[in-house]
Amino acid sequence: METKKKPTNNQRKLSNMKKQPKLNDDIKIYSLGGLGVIGMNMYVVEQNNEILIIDAGILFADDDIHGVNYIIPDFTYLKANEAKIIGLFITHGHEDHIGAIPFLLEKVKIPTIYANGLAIGLIEKKMLEFPNVKYNITPYEDDSIYKFKNFQVSFFRTNHSIPDSFGIAIKTNLGYVVSTGDFKFDFSPIGKMSDFYKMSKLGTEGVLCLLSESTNANIPQFSSSERKIGITLNNLFHQIEGRIIVATFASNVYRVRQIIESSIECGRQVVVFGHSMEQTIEVASKLKYINFPKGTVLYARHLKKIESDHITILCTGSQGEPMAALSRIASGTHKQITLKPNDTIIYSSKPIPGNEQLINRSINKLVHAGAHVIRNSPLTDIHTTGHASQNELRMMLSFMQPKFFMPIHGEYLMLKRHVEIATELGIPKENCFVLGSGDVLTINQKKQAKVIKHGVPAYDIYLDSELSDVDSDILKERKKMADDGLVTATLFINRNKELIFLPKISSKGFATPKESITVNKKLADKTSDIYKNLVSSTNLAKSSLEKQVANQLSQYIFGYLNRRPLIVVSIKDVKSR
């Protein structure tokens, strides 16, 4: 009898897609990433035979996802429907909005990437690392309009921690679908002002559905202006005498600009450390977003030639990342920078939730080495967010006056709080939708909305340091090893399937060195008994025997030590001479 092959993950996903009902002229809005997490932003609007994509971002993996550096969206649905794709529209140049572009282009044909200003420079820089991937970028401007069969796309400028951030307005036959991108309302910005007129005009013309970012939906106060942070930094730089080491996000172009400007004003040269920091400054200076006289901004290789301590070292590592420059400086493992007692360290950033322990560990090491550490506080206002807090979210909702509301870009607590803000402003609760990735919000021609749960496949794709996919089963095994340890059992048998000697047991992260001698002896005896009983009562193939031994050994260990380590059993034939 012919046996059927087990379908692959992709085959199962495609099979599920075929079962989805046709939605005629309904407008479909869904996320492939960015809901339930801060990062990996990717949103899709679809109608009839056209698909419009907004952003393609990456998520930096937490330490508890072992061996994984990045997480990107699953592109299976887009690949299956690539003939419908009319373009990828980029709101701004942060990694959580553009970082997945190379991986998307490797798998899916995208006719055009629409982007503006700094985002174009950062995308082009990124694509140099993927020389075999072809792409096409079309620059859009504030007043650009692109017309397609079902959609007409325009843009409105916003403020964020990076220049050239935009919201995207998609005009449909039922009204506008608007995505805000990341934004804040800064009334004294370093760059251009937000386009308040366009925002309010969209609300007057009729916003069918608003997709608005939710990162700071739990924060009540209005976010400070970036210009105010620059004044505080400038004052500090004038007071500090020794070396200044500043750690901030490389992607915060306005902050990097102000650090460089304050340094130059105080007669300091700036030495830049960190690959991402170097790339940001290179692209931003080329596009005139950061300006400095020749010789004032130097790179790591120049540090040993500078004799004066009247310098600013600008580096990555504000989140305590173990391999970042500041963490290595704190640990004393940096090849070029050794801390001096009169060094001042400035953390011009806010801890990302979950990173507090790493940051505190670095700070303790810095202080122990004699450095002065300055962190953001009410007295030293050296950081502000690039994201809208509650009052700014209220302003955006008031400008847009949407019929339907779908909060995006945030953990579920943030999304739900954003909905509460919307209902406080009079948007009916039944018109607000907190979705998960892959859930589809459909709006029919009668302007009635409903949600199809898991309407499109939307899984997390894990990438290691080599940018290769990591199988989810391997991740489960790694987690199990990290949490409960590893036990390996090697059995040596002759041609009659008889054990030649006791199984060899090895355990890691499972018992203390003192305990392991006794534990391993018990496990060797038990493994021998399990194997002999199986061989005497069954006629299993070697692979099946290995599985059965592992299963029974796992049950024994749980009863004996209340632990469930990963168990690997190997049966080896030993040929007699």
Side-chain angles (χ1 to χ4, degrees):
M1 185 175 70
E2 185 180 355
T3 58
K4 291 183 179 179
K5 288 185 179 179
K6 186 178 179 181
T8 64
N9 282 339
N10 278 347
Q11 286 171 337
R12 282 194 293 269
K13 294 172 193 172
L14 291 170
S15 175
N16 288 337
M17 284 189 290
K18 291 174 184 176
K19 296 175 185 176
Q20 295 301 321
K22 292 183 178 179
L23 297 174
N24 302 319
D25 291 332
D26 291 1
I27 295 169
K28 295 191 286 184
I29 305 168
Y30 49 93
S31 165
L32 298 179
L35 300 182
V37 295
I38 298 177
M40 202 167 65
N41 291 282
M42 193 173 199
Y43 310 99
V44 183
V45 181
E46 179 176 350
Q47 188 176 23
N48 292 320
N49 61 342
E50 289 186 326
I51 287 176
L52 183 153
I53 308 167
I54 301 170
D55 292 334
I58 206 164
L59 177 66
F60 294 95
D62 295 331
D63 290 340
D64 60 348
I65 309 180
H66 305 284
V68 172
N69 291 56
Y70 313 104
I71 306 173
I72 61 172
D74 178 13
F75 307 129
T76 302
Y77 182 82
L78 297 178
K79 177 62 181 174
N81 293 275
E82 65 182 8
K84 297 180 180 180
I85 297 171
I86 58 176
L88 168 63
F89 291 81
I90 301 300
T91 58
H92 65 282
H94 278 158
E95 281 293 293
D96 58 339
H97 294 259
I98 67 169
I101 288 177
F103 310 104
L104 173 65
L105 295 175
E106 282 180 325
K107 296 189 175 182
V108 183
K109 292 178 182 176
I110 303 294
T112 303
I113 301 169
Y114 297 87
N116 178 273
L118 187 58
I120 294 175
L122 293 171
I123 292 168
E124 289 176 340
K125 188 76 174 177
K126 181 180 296 294
M127 294 308 299
L128 291 175
E129 300 174 20
F130 298 82
N132 297 322
V133 179
K134 295 181 179 180
Y135 65 99
N136 175 49
I137 289 187
T138 296
Y140 67 74
E141 304 299 335
D142 296 51
D143 57 353
S144 295
I145 295 176
Y146 298 98
K147 295 181 179 181
F148 305 94
K149 290 180 182 177
N150 299 282
F151 307 124
Q152 178 177 295
V153 184
S154 58
F155 311 89
F156 56 94
R157 189 174 290 273
T158 60
N159 292 135
H160 189 35
S161 57
I162 190 172
D164 302 326
S165 60
F166 285 85
I168 296 175
I170 305 158
K171 190 174 184 179
T172 73
N173 64 322
L174 298 179
Y176 283 97
V177 175
V178 176
S179 175
T180 64
D182 290 355
F183 75 97
K184 63 183 285 186
F185 288 125
D186 190 337
F187 299 105
S188 57
I190 296 174
K192 296 181 180 179
M193 287 285 291
S194 297
D195 197 331
F196 299 106
Y197 171 73
K198 274 191 179 179
M199 294 180 208
S200 58
K201 189 170 183 287
L202 286 167
T204 302
E205 292 182 12
V207 173
L208 178 69
C209 185
L210 174 65
L211 284 62
S212 182
E213 76 129 323
S214 310
T215 311
N216 279 348
N218 295 320
I219 298 176
Q221 68 267 30
F222 222 95
S223 57
S224 298
S225 171
E226 187 66 43
R227 192 177 296 277
K228 180 183 175 184
I229 305 305
I231 293 170
T232 306
L233 285 169
N234 194 275
N235 290 336
L236 282 172
F237 276 49
H238 276 88
Q239 296 170 28
I240 297 169
E241 294 182 359
R243 292 193 307 183
I244 299 175
I245 302 175
V246 188
T248 191
F249 294 111
S251 60
N252 192 336
V253 174
Y254 287 133
R255 187 72 46 77
V256 171
R257 169 179 161 177
Q258 294 190 111
I259 292 166
I260 291 173
E261 289 176 347
S262 293
S263 298
I264 292 170
E265 185 178 318
C266 296
R268 293 175 176 270
Q269 287 182 301
V270 179
V271 187
V272 181
F273 283 84
H275 179 66
S276 58
M277 189 71 75
E278 289 182 9
Q279 283 201 325
T280 297
I281 291 174
E282 182 182 337
V283 174
S285 60
K286 185 179 178 180
L287 296 173
K288 306 299 182 186
Y289 289 105
I290 298 177
N291 297 300
F292 46 82
K294 187 176 181 180
T296 54
V297 176
L298 307 173
Y299 295 97
R301 61 186 179 275
H302 300 124
L303 181 61
K304 59 184 178 182
K305 299 178 183 178
I306 301 174
E307 296 180 1
S308 171
D309 280 353
H310 197 61
I311 61 171
T312 298
I313 295 172
L314 178 56
C315 65
T316 55
S318 64
Q319 298 303 305
E321 308 96 315
M323 296 309 295
L326 186 59
S327 297
R328 288 185 284 126
I329 293 169
S331 300
T333 58
H334 200 285
K335 292 180 180 179
Q336 293 149 300
I337 305 174
T338 302
L339 278 175
K340 300 180 180 181
N342 63 337
D343 285 345
T344 298
I345 317 296
I346 297 176
Y347 278 83
S348 187
S349 63
K350 175 186 175 183
I352 294 172
N355 290 348
E356 293 88 353
Q357 188 175 351
L358 288 172
I359 295 169
N360 289 335
R361 192 180 302 158
S362 289
I363 289 173
N364 283 324
K365 290 177 181 177
L366 293 165
V367 173
H368 188 265
H372 308 288
V373 176
I374 299 174
R375 299 183 67 179
N376 188 52
S377 72
L379 296 176
T380 55
D381 201 2
I382 53 175
H383 176 70
T384 186
T385 181
H387 300 275
S389 56
Q390 291 178 3
N391 284 335
E392 292 152 281
L393 297 178
R394 290 186 179 97
M395 282 181 64
M396 182 63 78
L397 285 160
S398 298
F399 281 138
M400 295 295 172
Q401 304 174 53
K403 179 175 178 62
F404 300 109
F405 175 56
M406 175 180 159
I408 59 172
H409 195 188
E411 296 170 357
Y412 283 111
L413 182 65
M414 301 166 185
L415 303 179
K416 285 186 173 293
R417 183 65 189 103
H418 203 169
V419 163
E420 290 173 6
I421 293 168
T423 55
E424 289 167 6
L425 293 176
I427 299 176
K429 190 172 182 180
E430 61 271 20
N431 286 7
C432 299
F433 301 93
V434 175
L435 303 186
S437 291
D439 294 344
V440 180
L441 173 62
T442 71
I443 305 172
N444 65 23
Q445 294 300 303
K446 296 179 180 179
K447 294 190 178 182
Q448 298 167 328
K450 67 176 182 178
V451 174
I452 299 176
K453 300 294 289 183
H454 312 299
V456 299
Y459 302 88
D460 292 343
I461 304 297
Y462 301 98
L463 303 178
D464 59 20
S465 59
E466 302 296 320
L467 304 182
S468 301
D469 289 8
V470 182
D471 189 88
S472 58
D473 290 336
I474 294 175
L475 287 178
K476 289 176 185 175
E477 289 187 358
R478 288 177 182 171
K479 180 167 176 51
K480 194 171 184 64
M481 281 191 283
D483 293 344
D484 294 311
L486 168 69
V487 172
T488 62
T490 308
L491 294 77
F492 299 92
I493 62 173
N494 60 24
R495 65 177 61 186
N496 297 320
K497 292 189 175 182
E498 298 168 336
L499 282 171
I500 297 174
F501 39 76
L502 270 179
K504 182 180 178 182
I505 303 294
S506 176
S507 58
K508 300 287 184 183
F510 172 64
T512 65
K514 190 177 286 187
E515 294 171 335
S516 62
I517 297 172
T518 304
V519 169
N520 288 357
K521 177 65 172 64
K522 277 183 174 288
L523 296 184
D525 291 336
K526 185 62 181 178
T527 304
S528 176
D529 293 342
I530 292 170
Y531 176 80
K532 289 175 181 177
N533 288 335
L534 285 169
V535 170
S536 65
S537 60
T538 62
N539 188 27
L540 295 172
K542 187 192 293 185
S543 60
S544 298
L545 269 172
E546 290 171 340
K547 287 181 181 178
Q548 287 293 327
V549 171
N551 287 338
Q552 292 189 35
L553 188 58
S554 176
Q555 293 171 16
Y556 172 75
I557 291 172
F558 184 72
Y560 173 39
L561 292 171
N562 198 31
R563 297 284 296 275
R564 291 196 184 278
L566 180 67
I567 298 175
V568 178
V569 175
S570 177
I571 300 175
K572 297 183 179 296
D573 294 306
V574 179
K575 295 179 181 179
S576 56
R577 295 179 180 176

